[in-house]
Amino acid sequence: MNNNKYKILLVEDESNIRNLVSTMLEASEYRVITATTCKEAETMFASHMPDLIILDLGLPDKNGLELLNYVRNESLTPIIILSARTDEHDKVEALDMGANDYITKPFGSAELLARVRSALRNNRHCSEEGKLPGGKFILGDMVIDYDARQIFIGGNEIKLTQTEYNIVALLSEYSGKMMTYSAIIKTIWGYPDEGSIKKLQVNMANIRKKFGIKPGDKSYIINELGVGYRMNSDKN
Ligand code: CA
């Protein structure tokens, strides 16, 4: 696969992490440009129009969330948050502000590259086909037929309730993007209440059971505890 056309803006003030991530990306033939502050990143974003931004939240001049806000006012350029922070609140806030995904330090090359591919693919899906999916979604041996509202795994139909189907269809529509609990709840039920997260978790447990997903199994739908769910967009 030739990634040469993709330009990635890496915003990170720690030089050893910046060098490590640059090396990982360049080894996969991505073009990498770097910035070490929010201010510098704004300039780089405006002049280079990168295809993807990898953004550290703890920057010397401002919080990375401010850059996220700035970029989202201008474009849908996919953004992956790079953070050493374990604070769930920051991740959730970044995702609700429009970040596509996040990756927690330390991480390996394979994980980083998988997130990058997902985010770039997710962006293509949005720009070419719009937000409302039509036709079919295929992931590994799972097929979603949006018109018939049916889901098949290995050719066998998985019988879901309307709500369960709506959740899976929503995650597939944004495959590759980490969806926070509140974003899913707002879309599926329209309003949040005290029992919303529990209700979502119960539905998700039923979906996993019907899909035959065992705990710890990484296929199809990934749960980040305290954050949300992401449908894989990698074939594996
Ligand atoms: Ca930092």
Side-chain angles (χ1 to χ4, degrees), residues 12-14 56 58:
E12 167 64 80
D13 59 318
E14 281 174 69
D56 175 37

Side-chain angles (χ1 to χ4, degrees), residues 63-120:
N63 187 315
L65 291 176
E66 291 192 40
L67 182 76
L68 172 58
N69 217 7
Y70 170 82
V71 171
R72 273 293 164 272
N73 284 332
E74 307 278 324
S75 80
L76 289 171
T77 307
I79 300 173
I80 298 173
I81 299 296
L82 199 60
S83 185
R85 303 181 188 195
T86 45
D87 186 355
E88 301 303 325
H89 181 75
D90 280 346
K91 295 172 188 171
V92 173
E93 190 175 0
L95 292 165
D96 280 337
M97 283 171 68
N100 295 63
D101 208 344
Y102 69 85
I103 185 163
T104 307
K105 302 171 197 170
F107 49 82
S109 177
E111 189 183 4
L112 174 75
L113 294 171
R115 301 293 175 87
V116 165
R117 282 195 304 270
S118 273
L120 287 168

Side-chain angles (χ1 to χ4, degrees), residues 27-46:
S28 289
E29 298 184 352
Y30 291 102
R31 288 162 62 197
V32 183
I33 50 175
T34 60
T36 56
T37 64
C38 268
K39 191 88 198 81
E40 192 187 352
E42 278 185 25
T43 309
M44 299 284 275
F45 171 73

